[in-house]
Amino acid sequence: MLRPEKQSYYSRVAIKQQDAALGTFRAIMSNMDESNCDAFFALSSLIVVYGFDSPKSSDSLGMFSYNGQDSDEWLPLIRGVNSILQTVWPWIKNGRLSGLLHDHQQEPPQKQLPDVLDEQLSHLEKLCENSTDGEEPMKAYKSTVSVLRTCFIRMNNRPPYECEVSIAFLWPVLVPSEFMKLLNSRRPIALVILAHYCVILHHLDDYWWTRGWAMHIIRNIHRELEDEWRCWIQWPSSVITVDEKVLTDGKLPNPISGSRVSNNFHTAIDQSLEIPSEELRSS
């Protein structure tokens, strides 16, 4: 961080500038066209960045009010911005900022995942299938884990030209609305799934504006869950809090500072990370 002694000053400046920009932002939301869609896309991207870098509420999970207190809401922010941009996406995709974009529909992801990650996601899928929350919640859980698996596959097979941020943000955009309601209600399975997404989010810790979010959320999920559910977040907690066990091409990463991960996600999960046993889960 440059000039950390002026952090509070620059934060106030950023708030003032964002408030000024949001007036124009709201004005053009209902009147977007080919002439202003690039500016809208650029501004909305900066708003998402600012949403991440805003001070974290002590009890936040990234999307809802906790115990009646306002909290950070970057998950619905990403979804909202995406829904708006979809109306002008053909113009943006072929416009002046097209070089910043990657079309995730261009090629199907490869299917290879490290065995321990594949097994962990299979356990998570089984948890969803055995849900007692009802048929619709079960469908939402299973659909959300399917998107999560796709994101892990894409991250694990990411070509050099594809930005990991765009892959990580696929999950908030593609999960069903029903799941967001379940997450907002703090249903245990929804929180467990969010904890697993934090493994992907943690991979973005090399970016200053997302740094620390995965750790922040996983700690709050741990506090929110009853003891009987905490075994289900043992694996993502281990990946995030014990970064020396995250391998990169069979070698230990060399973080720049703190608990950060390498940019190479090719074999990002150590086989030695222990998956909770069936006996522990059923106890």
Side-chain angles (χ1 to χ4, degrees):
M1 178 185 296
L2 297 177
R3 300 181 180 179
E5 72 281 0
K6 291 191 173 183
Q7 181 177 2
S8 60
Y9 165 75
Y10 287 123
S11 294
R12 291 194 300 270
V13 172
I15 292 172
K16 185 177 180 179
Q17 294 294 329
Q18 179 185 248
D19 289 344
L22 284 177
T24 304
F25 187 82
R26 296 188 183 99
I28 67 173
M29 276 178 57
S30 59
N31 192 33
M32 286 189 295
D33 55 33
E34 191 172 6
S35 68
N36 59 24
C37 63
D38 288 327
F40 188 90
F41 173 62
L43 179 55
S44 62
S45 299
L46 291 174
I47 290 174
V48 170
V49 170
Y50 181 79
F52 269 95
D53 195 49
S54 299
K56 302 177 182 68
S57 174
S58 60
D59 293 322
S60 72
L61 294 177
M63 69 151 297
F64 53 76
S65 296
Y66 185 96
N67 291 339
Q69 301 297 316
D70 291 337
S71 64
D72 317 278
E73 298 185 348
W74 53 265
L75 274 172
L77 178 61
I78 293 173
R79 289 172 64 84
V81 167
N82 177 76
S83 65
I84 296 171
L85 290 176
Q86 288 304 311
T87 63
V88 292
W89 192 249
W91 287 328
I92 296 175
K93 187 169 63 173
N94 296 303
R96 289 170 292 180
L97 300 179
S98 60
L100 300 176
L101 308 176
H102 177 78
D103 189 351
H104 292 281
Q105 303 299 322
Q106 285 181 352
E107 68 284 326
Q110 299 181 43
K111 301 300 182 182
Q112 293 83 3
L113 281 177
D115 289 343
V116 69
L117 178 52
D118 182 68
E119 184 177 355
Q120 183 63 23
L121 292 176
S122 296
H123 282 302
L124 192 57
E125 290 162 349
K126 184 176 180 181
L127 173 67
C128 297
E129 291 172 358
N130 294 332
S131 167
T132 59
D133 289 345
E135 183 176 352
E136 290 305 314
M138 182 183 68
K139 290 180 180 178
Y141 293 145
K142 292 174 66 176
S143 176
T144 301
V145 174
S146 177
V147 175
L148 184 64
R149 179 180 284 275
T150 297
C151 291
F152 271 114
I153 290 172
R154 285 199 176 276
M155 193 72 83
N156 194 60
N157 296 278
R158 182 178 66 88
Y161 57 82
E162 187 171 11
C163 176
E164 60 256 315
V165 174
S166 66
I167 298 175
F169 284 4
L170 278 177
W171 187 83
V173 166
L174 295 179
V175 297
S177 298
E178 176 66 21
F179 175 78
M180 300 298 287
K181 296 176 183 177
L182 294 163
L183 191 56
N184 193 47
S185 299
R186 303 189 293 279
R187 299 302 301 163
I189 295 180
L191 293 175
V192 168
I193 295 172
L194 177 61
H196 284 71
Y197 170 68
C198 284
V199 174
I200 290 179
L201 186 62
H202 182 55
H203 183 61
L204 304 185
D205 260 16
D206 278 340
Y207 296 90
W208 59 269
W209 48 282
T210 53
R211 188 171 304 151
W213 265 107
M215 178 72 75
H216 177 76
I217 293 174
I218 206 83
R219 284 174 174 168
N220 288 331
I221 290 175
H222 185 272
R223 182 176 59 250
E224 175 70 20
L225 290 173
E226 300 290 340
D227 289 344
E228 63 185 284
W229 288 97
R230 288 177 178 171
C231 63
W232 286 97
I233 64 169
Q234 175 183 323
W235 179 80
S237 297
S238 298
V239 173
I240 292 168
T241 61
V242 192
D243 224 11
E244 63 268 20
K245 285 192 174 182
V246 180
L247 296 183
T248 303
D249 291 332
K251 299 178 181 179
L252 289 174
N254 183 24
I256 298 174
S257 64
S259 179
R260 297 171 63 192
V261 295
S262 169
N263 283 331
N264 191 331
F265 200 79
H266 179 56
T267 52
I269 310 300
D270 184 359
Q271 296 282 355
S272 68
L273 284 179
E274 183 177 327
I275 296 176
S277 65
E278 291 296 332
E279 292 78 9
L280 180 59
R281 289 190 173 111
S282 60
S283 61

